[in-house]
Amino acid sequence: MPKSFLSKLTGSFSEGAAENPTVAMVEAAYRHHGLDYRYINCEVPPEKLGDAVKGARAMGWAGFNLSIPHKVNVIPFLDGLGESAAVMGAVNCAVSRNGKLIGENTDGKGFLQSLREIIDPTGKSVVMFGAGGAARAIGVELALAGAKHITIVNRDQKRGQTLVDLLNGKTPARTELTLWRGPYRIAADTEVVVNATSIGLYPDVNARLDIDLGSLGKGLVVADVIPNPPRTNLIKDAEARGCKTLDGLGMLVNQGVIGVKYWTGVDVDPNIMKRKLEEIFST
Ligand code: NDP
């Protein structure tokens, strides 16, 4: 084979791109597996998003991630949506398939993949804190995976109700809203607890969820979406009470693994990506 000097292209479109470490994580996997792909991190303002997608099409990109603020607004520029992205109405990963750009959402899928390493969500009762983008992605995947009951706990009534209506209307799960007013007591029949708020994210590392810690029962699965730092107060408190825990680094790594599989067809080693992120977050 003559050497090719033309790599396949992937990347990310967002605002605030300089703070996003995904490029380092994905390129570490490309290098480790000898994949002739590049990942280009692009700063794209909202009014240029259509042009950016057109550019990616013109250059034959294999696909790209979408981050804040493009996850919803990219949809009109794509040719179709995967199942969960259609239910969520949000895309974080576009994939070129047979000349068409299809929108997927890997945030919730990455979470689900991590969760399945310790528990199958089918038939389970879940309490999830938060109702923003991460909660929406996780809620839809949990519901499509067969979670029986999901309690959404959120401060803002409107945001919480919007997510409850979406899950009740478009998935088989039964979902209800509890407004977050004072320490929340987790019901004894709960099997999985998810923090999908931004509480505990760097630099606010001492923040704690307002929950009754005594209600974190032994054996409960407690998952946090916060990737930085991975050992949040919630994870530490839950461990101290004998819960099984899952940190946000696993979700971040797994959504990357799923995205790379969509673009290249290759299952990359999650440990390579995890190590790269740990290296970045520890400096
Ligand atoms: P949004 O801004 O869309 O939603 C934030 C949510 O957190 C809202 O429900 C908000 O409640 C709640 N919230 C924030 N602060 C507080 C507080 N002090 N007390 C109670 N509730 C609070 O953010 P996203 O959903 O996009 O992101 C949430 C977190 O998920 C981020 O920290 C992000 O880093 C993480 N994330 C992790 C990923 C991973 O791969 N590990 C992937 C994607 C996101 P209200 O509606 O009442 O304001």
Side-chain angles (χ1 to χ4, degrees):
M1 274 282 284
K3 186 164 174 54
S4 166
F5 295 95
L6 186 64
S7 303
K8 295 237 173 65
L9 297 180
T10 60
S12 173
F13 301 155
S14 68
E15 247 182 350
E19 289 157 33
N20 188 341
T22 304
V23 53
M25 174 178 91
V26 172
E27 290 227 316
Y30 287 167
R31 277 194 300 273
H32 177 81
H33 290 276
L35 293 167
D36 192 9
Y37 281 73
R38 299 301 311 271
Y39 187 100
I40 321 282
N41 192 22
C42 306
E43 179 78 11
V44 177
E47 67 278 11
K48 296 282 172 59
L49 179 61
D51 288 345
V53 175
K54 250 191 206 164
R57 283 184 195 275
M59 290 181 273
W61 282 33
F64 46 88
N65 285 131
L66 287 310
S67 194
I68 292 169
H70 303 318
K71 291 186 183 185
V72 174
N73 297 338
V74 75
I75 292 174
F77 302 115
L78 302 177
D79 303 311
L81 297 177
E83 185 193 7
S84 56
V87 174
M88 285 169 214
V91 166
N92 77 332
C93 183
V95 189
S96 177
R97 291 186 186 127
N98 306 318
K100 290 194 165 31
L101 274 179
I102 305 300
E104 297 282 0
N105 199 305
T106 60
D107 279 337
K109 291 187 202 301
F111 173 84
L112 204 62
Q113 197 159 307
S114 295
L115 185 70
R116 282 200 165 118
E117 286 164 19
I118 40 177
I119 194 173
D120 176 358
T122 310
K124 299 293 187 297
S125 279
V126 180
V127 168
M128 181 164 65
F129 295 94
R136 179 176 283 235
I138 291 169
V140 167
E141 295 294 351
L142 281 173
L144 294 179
K148 185 179 65 184
H149 189 268
I150 305 176
T151 303
I152 305 292
V153 184
N154 202 52
R155 285 180 314 193
D156 182 81
Q157 200 271 341
K158 191 160 170 267
R159 196 142 39 160
Q161 194 59 49
T162 303
L163 179 53
V164 165
D165 292 345
L166 175 106
L167 294 175
N168 280 336
K170 294 194 177 172
T171 78
R174 281 186 303 115
T175 311
E176 65 187 359
L177 174 67
T178 300
L179 292 180
W180 204 350
R181 306 278 183 260
Y184 183 81
R185 196 169 167 74
I186 293 152
D189 60 355
T190 306
E191 291 152 295
V192 179
V193 170
V194 183
N195 173 36
T197 74
S198 43
I199 300 169
L201 184 67
Y202 181 86
D204 202 10
V205 299
N206 293 320
R208 266 200 162 79
L209 272 79
D210 191 8
I211 53 178
D212 175 350
L213 291 180
S215 67
L216 287 175
K218 199 165 182 248
L220 188 66
V221 174
V222 176
D224 203 330
V225 296
I226 302 299
N228 182 24
R231 283 185 61 74
T232 56
N233 277 333
L234 177 65
I235 294 286
K236 291 180 200 162
D237 291 339
E239 272 177 10
R241 278 163 182 76
C243 303
K244 294 182 201 149
T245 59
L246 205 67
D247 68 36
L249 207 56
M251 172 180 174
L252 187 58
V253 167
N254 282 335
Q255 61 89 13
V257 169
I258 295 166
V260 172
K261 170 84 177 187
Y262 281 149
W263 300 325
T264 69
V266 174
D267 284 305
V268 293
D269 181 352
N271 292 316
I272 300 297
M273 290 186 166
K274 191 166 179 214
R275 250 179 267 140
K276 190 56 168 179
L277 286 180
E278 281 168 346
E279 190 187 307
I280 291 167
F281 291 154
S282 69
T283 53

